Amino acid sequence: MTKLSVNINKVATIRNARGGNTPDVLKFAQDCERFGAQGITVHPRPDERHIRYADALAIKPLIGVEYNIEGNPKGISKSKPYGFIDLVKEIRPAQVTLVPDAEGVLTSNAGWDTVKNQGYLCDVVKEFKACGIRVSIFIDANPQMIEMAAKTGTDRVELYTESYASRYAAGREAAIAPFVEAAKVARDCGLGLNAGHDLSLENLAYFHQQIPWCDEVSIGHALISDALYLGIEETIHRYLDCLK
């Protein structure tokens, strides 16, 4: 079964808008697990505009499900004397997802160029795997980039699904086609497969039907938005239903 990892960045965004501790990000992570989520994802950025480095540290001992930390390994926190790599190595989550987002971007908007960054990614993957952390590389649905990702020693790739989501309404068969091809390439390369970005209750079930061997989906913005109407427990149940 494809696992559901809930990205809780948006909960931290709401908290940070007013200061204080409402909503309680740590309790929210625990509640997501209690309601059936099989993973928790955070994506701390250097400006800490949503998840803070301190949040990432505090969540680890509170949850029993898989913990996935996303981010650019080149990132340096503005409030802590260390960077993303130091943070991940201290926490030692189940998985780290390497994302090439530039400082200041609104959201992740591209996968890695695994040809251009081959040497760098090899070094980073090796460093994290030496700590017993599973590594996933955020990547576009591009067979060449996936094949080159496999050469870094990574355990998995995460398909950047924004183009699937944006094209879904116009024709889901055409929208999913490059992702099915990419997923097959990943499987042939011996890589595990994750997916994320703009997956929602509208498009998730079809994605899963077409790529049932996907190991994990990481969903934040749409899921938290749905929870404003449905409540977080009902929302998680509906997303899990899409993955049955």
Side-chain angles (χ1 to χ4, degrees), residues 111-116 118 121 136-161 177-195 207 211 213:
W112 284 95
D113 182 333
T114 55
V115 176
K116 181 180 178 180
Q118 178 73 200
L121 289 170
S136 179
I137 294 178
F138 192 68
I139 202 159
D140 296 315
N142 181 316
Q144 181 191 18
M145 294 302 163
I146 294 170
E147 289 168 354
M148 293 304 292
K151 295 182 183 298
T152 68
T154 190
D155 301 289
R156 295 184 182 181
V157 290
E158 178 176 330
L159 295 179
Y160 171 45
T161 51
F179 290 88
V180 173
E181 179 186 5
K184 289 178 179 176
V185 171
R187 183 172 60 183
D188 291 344
C189 289
L191 294 171
L193 184 70
N194 298 338
F207 183 91
I211 312 174
W213 64 91

Side-chain angles (χ1 to χ4, degrees), residues 36-220:
Q38 296 122 331
I40 298 295
T41 292
V42 296
H43 189 144
R45 288 183 165 89
D47 60 9
E48 299 190 291
R49 66 180 181 269
H50 34 63
I51 284 291
R52 300 166 181 155
Y53 275 44
D55 296 326
L57 287 160
I59 289 169
K60 172 66 184 298
L62 299 179
I63 60 173
V65 291
E66 285 200 353
Y67 192 21
N68 172 47
I69 302 181
E70 301 180 342
N72 192 330
K74 297 180 180 179
I76 303 294
S77 169
K78 288 182 168 54
S79 67
K80 293 280 185 181
Y82 53 68
F84 180 82
I85 290 178
D86 301 306
L87 175 73
V88 174
K89 288 173 70 176
E90 180 175 350
I91 296 173
R92 301 205 176 198
Q95 177 175 269
V96 59
T97 301
L98 310 182
V99 183
D101 48 21
E103 185 173 342
V105 296
L106 182 63
T107 186
S108 304
N109 55 17
W112 284 95
D113 182 333
T114 55
V115 176
K116 181 180 178 180
N117 296 284
Q118 178 73 200
Y120 174 71
L121 289 170
C122 283
D123 291 341
V124 174
V125 169
K126 182 178 180 180
E127 186 170 1
F128 283 133
K129 290 184 71 171
C131 297
I133 303 168
R134 185 174 70 233
V135 182
S136 179
I137 294 178
F138 192 68
I139 202 159
D140 296 315
N142 181 316
Q144 181 191 18
M145 294 302 163
I146 294 170
E147 289 168 354
M148 293 304 292
K151 295 182 183 298
T152 68
T154 190
D155 301 289
R156 295 184 182 181
V157 290
E158 178 176 330
L159 295 179
Y160 171 45
T161 51
E162 186 277 335
S163 64
Y164 163 70
S166 64
R167 297 172 60 199
Y168 181 86
R172 64 184 190 176
E173 293 84 2
I176 196 66
F179 290 88
V180 173
E181 179 186 5
K184 289 178 179 176
V185 171
R187 183 172 60 183
D188 291 344
C189 289
L191 294 171
L193 184 70
N194 298 338
H197 205 92
D198 289 346
L199 294 175
S200 67
L201 288 176
E202 178 185 9
N203 59 46
L204 179 59
Y206 184 71
F207 183 91
H208 180 250
Q209 289 164 11
Q210 301 304 306
I211 312 174
W213 64 91
C214 185
D215 293 296
E216 172 189 293
V217 291
S218 175
I219 305 178

